[in-house]
Amino acid sequence: MNHLGLLHHIEINVSHLKRSVDFWGWFLSELGYTSYQEWEHGRSWKLGDTYLVFVQASEKHLDVPYNRCRVGLNHLAFHATSREQVDELTTTIRAKGMSMLYEDRHPYAGGKDYYALFFEDPDRIKVEVVAP
């Protein structure tokens, strides 16, 4: 397989590693990712040849919280297997009390032909799950 241009990995600094591991571990396992690496200040999950890494930001860099409207990462969008999977994740996110975005327009916040769930991780990084 030619891997040219495919993402190898993404690394995200987080404000509270345990909280992020609880959030991302659950969510990524729902999408088929498996635990990949674990060390004192980080964790990663892998799907195929791509993995996501979450690392505890150092204390000196915690003074300015993440904001997706600043320069840098705006959001991460993932494929869902179906509209039913988007609906199941929506139910779970609501039950867990997670911050759902655009709830008044859900599941069509991206447009009338775009079925998706939008929510936030513990650091307020926007996460999107899109049905085929």
Side-chain angles (χ1 to χ4, degrees):
M1 175 178 171
N2 181 357
H3 290 91
L4 180 64
L6 294 178
L7 286 174
H8 186 270
H9 71 276
I10 297 171
E11 184 169 316
I12 299 173
N13 292 331
V14 298
S15 65
H16 189 280
L17 184 61
K18 166 119 178 51
R19 189 174 62 198
S20 291
V21 163
D22 290 345
F23 173 90
W24 286 101
W26 161 79
F27 173 65
L28 293 174
S29 69
E30 291 289 319
L31 299 181
Y33 284 75
T34 57
S35 183
Y36 181 49
Q37 301 162 314
E38 183 174 351
W39 64 102
E40 183 181 358
H41 299 291
R43 288 282 306 271
S44 68
W45 286 266
K46 188 172 189 175
L47 179 64
D49 293 324
T50 302
Y51 61 99
L52 296 173
V53 183
F54 301 90
V55 178
Q56 176 63 54
S58 64
E59 188 70 35
K60 69 181 179 179
H61 295 298
L62 293 176
D63 58 333
V64 178
Y66 168 81
N67 187 311
R68 68 179 167 266
C69 294
R70 291 190 180 113
V71 173
L73 178 71
N74 178 272
H75 70 281
L76 295 171
F78 298 88
H79 289 280
T81 57
S82 63
R83 287 183 174 206
E84 291 76 23
Q85 185 181 31
V86 169
D87 294 341
E88 290 167 7
L89 289 169
T90 300
T91 298
T92 303
I93 282 166
R94 286 179 176 144
K96 289 177 172 278
M98 294 177 177
S99 180
M100 195 164 145
L101 300 170
Y102 323 122
E103 191 153 12
D104 61 324
R105 295 178 280 150
H106 175 75
Y108 298 103
K112 68 180 181 79
D113 297 321
Y114 195 82
Y115 199 93
L117 166 64
F118 298 86
F119 59 106
E120 292 179 321
D121 91 334
D123 284 312
R124 301 201 61 216
I125 294 173
K126 182 167 51 172
V127 181
E128 178 180 350
V129 184
V130 184

